[in-house]
């Protein structure tokens, strides 16, 4: 972008923020929690024509004041969120989910509406709200907690994590490799070999259900950093860090570089200026994966939530020290359970977050929890069982089979390790429902989501 364009763009953004006409929405969640599907659905709902039948709880639409949303012209140096590709994937036969995200991207929208109150309602034929949303690989989110640790602490943290039952066997080989290394005479080749082994280990963890906390994120999804020396990074065994060795010094340097040159700028650019935040949590997959998974998910959420600033912002605060004034905690992919289980799913999410939230300052923000599906992949109904109606869902399995089944009860309380030992949860993944571009995208409670996140800004 030319300098003048850039200054004009930033000027417009600042004016918008000062006048409370510009909102930055953070869509936060671990890898696979549903961020890309959520953004795709949210943008599609906001830019599609008449949505009154599809968004019954979105006030501005129901009171016929919503005049439509359009994609804003993107700055030329910013990767654009692949909305069209994602919508195209959903229209394929058989329908496909959007691909997992490999780099950051942004989408800006201008929402046009007729104000219902205040001076604007009398003076203007319409008002506008600018909305910025960014998408990024969930793996990168888990880099934020590294800013609170030094290299030594990270090594201790990592090896404590790798000793957990669902990880210990997977990590055994890398542990042996490290134990055999000479700390003072490691060659460049050995350093690279160990980095490759650690990367392979992270990839294995990534495939292990319930192993959420995989750091550093750029080793798994490097984006534009592939091959950068600071990505030669792995946690030495804790006793190896204490010895003041050449290898420990080198890895400490790489760690500090990674924090200063990768994580901090990423945080400052994309997360520090957020106004509102959605935190997507895939509780049902964690239930499928068992007790250790549930505990690790809680730990990951706790670490992440500490990285954000929460609290009501004054007009000046919105400009100079922005903080998040509203948070929506959403149990994603609720369409994997039957509708009468959604209440329990919301309660489970609240229980899930109780521990993580204790350690964050989120109380300063307004919060809400709900069970949602950004893109509904099942339809719900009843089958007769022993003469009684039994709730069920229907959809298409990943193997392309039409299925109708009752996926089971969602516990409204966190199950104990004992309960997990006696019961295997099975909320199975489904393909998206067939869909055509001219039709509204099926969802569960995206209208509630829009009302909560944007309703007060579109009055
Ligand atoms: N049934 C159902 N499945 C969903 C929904 N949203 C996401 N999924 C499933 O979850 C998978 C991951 O969703 P994404 O939106 O790609 O998740 P993400 O958080 O962007 O993941 P990364 O890009 O890897 O960080 C999808 O491929 C779907 O299988 C939903 O609303 N309903
Ligand atoms: Mg994604």
């Amino acid at each position: 972008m030319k300098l003048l364009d850039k200054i004009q763009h930033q000027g417009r953004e600042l004016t918008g923020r000062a006048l409370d006409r510009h909102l930055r929405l953070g869509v936060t969640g671990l890898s696979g929690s549903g961020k890309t599907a959520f953004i795709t659905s949210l943008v599609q709902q906001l830019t599609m024509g008449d949505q009154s039948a599809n968004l019954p709880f979105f006030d501005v639409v129901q009171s016929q004041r919503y005049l439509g949303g359009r994609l804003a012209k993107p700055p030329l140096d910013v990767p654009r969120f692949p909305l069209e590709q994602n919508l195209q994937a959903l229209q394929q036969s058989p329908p496909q989910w959007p691909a997992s995200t490999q780099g950051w991207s942004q989408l800006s929208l201008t929402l046009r509406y007729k104000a219902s109150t205040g001076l604007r309602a009398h003076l203007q034929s319409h008002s506008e709200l600018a909305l910025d949303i960014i998408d990024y690989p969930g793996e990168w989110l888990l880099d934020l907690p590294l800013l609170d640790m030094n290299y030594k602490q990270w090594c201790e943290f990592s090896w404590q994590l790798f000793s957990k039952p669902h990880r210990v066997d997977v990590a055994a080989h890398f542990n042996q490799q490290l134990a055999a290394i000479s700390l003072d005479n490691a060659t460049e080749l050995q350093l690279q070999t160990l980095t490759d082994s650690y990367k392979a280990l992270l990839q294995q963890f990534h495939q292990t259900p319930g192993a959420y906390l995989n750091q550093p994120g750029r080793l798994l999804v490097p984006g534009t950093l592939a091959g950068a020396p600071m990505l030669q990074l792995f946690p030495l065994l804790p006793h190896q860090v204490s010895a003041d060795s050449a290898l420990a010094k080198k890895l400490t340097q790489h760690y500090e570089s990674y924090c200063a040159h990768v994580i901090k700028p990423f945080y400052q650019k994309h997360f520090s200026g957020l106004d509102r935040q959605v935190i997507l949590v895939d509780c049902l997959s964690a239930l499928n994966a068992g007790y250790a998974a549930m505990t690790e998910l809680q730990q990951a959420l706790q670490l992440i939530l500490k990285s954000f600033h929460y609290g009501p912002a004054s007009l000046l605060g919105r400009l100079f020290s922005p903080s998040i004034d509203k948070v929506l905690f959403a149990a994603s992919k609720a369409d994997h359970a039957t509708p009468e289980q959604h209440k329990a799913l919301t309660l489970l999410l609240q229980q899930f977050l109780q521990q993580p939230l204790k350690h964050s300052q989120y109380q300063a923000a307004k919060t809400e929890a709900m069970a949602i599906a950004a893109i509904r992949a099942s339809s719900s109904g009843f089958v007769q069982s022993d003469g009684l109606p039994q709730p069920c869902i229907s959809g298409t399995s990943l193997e392309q089979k039409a299925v109708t089944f009752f996926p089971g009860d969602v516990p409204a309380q966190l199950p104990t390790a004992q309960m997990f030992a006696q019961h295997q949860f099975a909320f199975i993944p489904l393909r998206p429902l067939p869909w055509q571009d001219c039709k509204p995208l099926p969802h569960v409670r995206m209208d509630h989501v829009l009302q909560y996140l944007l309703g007060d800004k579109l009055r």
Side-chain angles (χ1 to χ4, degrees):
M1 202 181 338
K2 286 202 210 102
L3 187 62
L4 187 62
D5 284 354
K6 201 162 190 158
I7 292 170
Q8 279 177 344
H9 180 81
Q10 283 170 351
R12 271 198 304 275
E13 198 173 306
L14 279 178
T15 317
R17 285 182 72 73
L19 296 174
D20 204 16
R21 303 284 76 216
H22 192 131
L23 199 70
R24 288 197 199 126
L25 177 65
V27 180
T28 310
L30 298 176
S31 170
S33 58
K35 299 180 293 298
T36 301
F38 179 89
I39 297 171
T40 303
S41 172
L42 183 118
V43 174
Q44 208 273 345
Q45 314 288 352
L46 286 171
T47 50
M48 169 102 200
D50 179 17
Q51 285 278 47
S52 43
N54 195 36
L55 301 174
F57 283 93
F58 193 24
D59 277 356
V60 70
V61 167
Q62 287 311 311
S63 56
Q64 298 180 344
R65 292 185 296 103
Y66 191 58
L67 305 175
R70 63 184 160 76
L71 302 181
K73 208 170 130 198
L76 293 179
D77 58 347
V78 170
R80 188 174 177 282
F81 179 76
L83 177 72
E84 293 74 11
Q85 289 94 314
N86 295 347
L87 293 176
Q88 203 174 37
L90 292 168
Q91 290 177 80
Q92 278 180 21
S93 175
Q96 310 282 332
W97 289 104
S100 175
T101 309
Q102 297 300 306
W104 79 275
S105 66
Q106 183 176 323
L107 207 61
S108 300
L109 292 174
T110 308
L111 311 181
R112 201 172 262 201
Y113 66 100
K114 177 101 188 75
S116 63
T117 53
L119 214 52
R120 271 202 298 266
H122 297 289
L123 296 181
Q124 294 176 337
S125 63
H126 68 262
S127 303
E128 287 188 346
L129 178 72
L131 179 66
D132 287 341
I133 312 170
I134 71 141
D135 194 19
Y136 56 89
E139 286 84 0
W140 294 1
L141 189 65
L142 284 165
D143 278 348
L144 298 185
L146 296 184
L147 292 176
D148 276 343
M149 293 183 226
N150 59 31
Y151 177 67
K152 185 168 185 278
Q153 289 167 327
W154 179 57
C155 295
E156 282 158 6
F157 172 82
S158 299
W159 283 103
Q160 215 169 26
L161 189 70
F162 300 168
S163 68
K164 297 274 158 69
H166 61 309
R167 288 183 177 259
V168 68
D169 292 340
V170 188
H173 178 62
F174 183 62
N175 189 324
Q176 283 160 9
Q177 268 185 306
L178 277 184
I181 188 94
S182 152
L183 294 177
D184 276 312
N185 301 309
T187 62
E188 179 61 30
L189 187 64
Q190 283 172 317
L191 186 61
Q192 190 52 47
T193 309
L194 283 170
T195 302
D196 292 341
S197 293
Y198 184 59
K199 188 173 169 175
L201 174 63
L202 286 185
Q203 276 158 350
Q204 260 178 294
F205 280 145
H206 193 57
Q207 305 302 326
T208 307
Y212 296 100
L213 264 161
N214 301 313
Q215 300 163 317
R218 264 37 170 222
L219 211 53
L220 267 173
V221 183
T224 52
L225 280 181
M230 67 180 126
L231 283 194
Q232 285 182 323
L233 189 54
F234 48 85
L236 285 172
L237 297 169
H239 72 268
Q240 294 177 316
V241 203
S242 316
D244 200 13
S245 66
L247 186 58
K249 274 190 194 138
K250 189 159 200 165
L251 288 168
T252 304
Q253 245 176 21
H254 289 186
Y255 182 88
E256 286 169 359
S257 249
Y258 186 74
C259 288
H261 301 296
V262 179
I263 313 179
K264 260 193 200 145
F266 185 71
Y267 177 77
Q268 257 146 14
K269 192 159 180 199
H270 301 301
F271 291 126
S272 67
L274 295 181
D275 301 303
R276 296 201 166 164
Q277 189 179 33
V278 184
I279 298 179
L280 295 169
V281 187
D282 184 356
C283 300
L284 298 177
S285 296
L287 286 180
N288 284 348
Y291 183 71
M294 204 181 67
T295 321
E296 190 168 322
L297 179 54
Q298 276 189 306
Q299 192 183 7
L301 289 168
Q302 181 168 328
L303 289 171
I304 294 162
L305 285 170
K306 277 203 245 164
S307 310
F308 294 94
H309 299 286
Y310 297 103
S314 63
L315 271 186
L316 273 186
R318 277 175 54 77
L319 279 181
F320 299 114
S321 56
S323 59
I324 296 165
D325 67 345
K326 258 188 173 184
V327 188
L328 174 67
F329 295 105
S332 57
K333 313 182 198 177
D335 56 324
H336 285 142
T338 44
E340 86 292 347
Q341 298 294 322
H342 290 181
K343 176 109 194 282
L345 180 56
T346 309
L347 291 171
L348 179 73
L349 172 70
Q350 283 168 330
Q351 289 246 326
F352 231 100
L353 288 160
Q354 220 168 41
Q355 198 61 22
L357 292 179
K358 245 191 221 160
H359 300 274
S360 81
Q361 23 109 18
Y362 90 102
Q363 286 97 335
K366 231 178 132 180
T367 60
E368 174 87 55
M370 54 180 92
I372 68 156
I375 301 176
R376 186 160 51 78
S378 69
S379 52
S380 57
F382 292 90
V383 287
Q384 289 296 322
S385 169
D386 295 334
L388 289 172
Q390 164 85 26
C392 65
I393 58 172
S394 303
T396 306
S397 71
L398 297 184
E399 298 76 32
Q400 284 276 68
K401 269 203 183 135
V403 286
T404 294
F405 61 109
F406 175 61
D409 289 327
V410 177
Q413 295 228 331
L414 292 179
T416 58
Q418 229 176 3
M419 281 159 87
F420 272 109
Q422 286 157 7
H423 179 74
Q424 168 71 54
F425 292 95
F427 297 97
I428 64 163
L430 298 168
R431 276 187 186 274
L433 293 169
W435 173 74
Q436 286 162 354
D437 206 6
C438 51
K439 297 263 169 61
L441 208 48
H443 64 85
V444 177
R445 291 190 194 88
M446 281 303 281
D447 49 343
H448 291 265
V449 168
L450 289 167
Q451 179 60 25
Y452 180 72
L453 293 173
L454 303 176
D456 58 326
K457 299 284 179 187
L458 298 173
R459 276 212 289 256

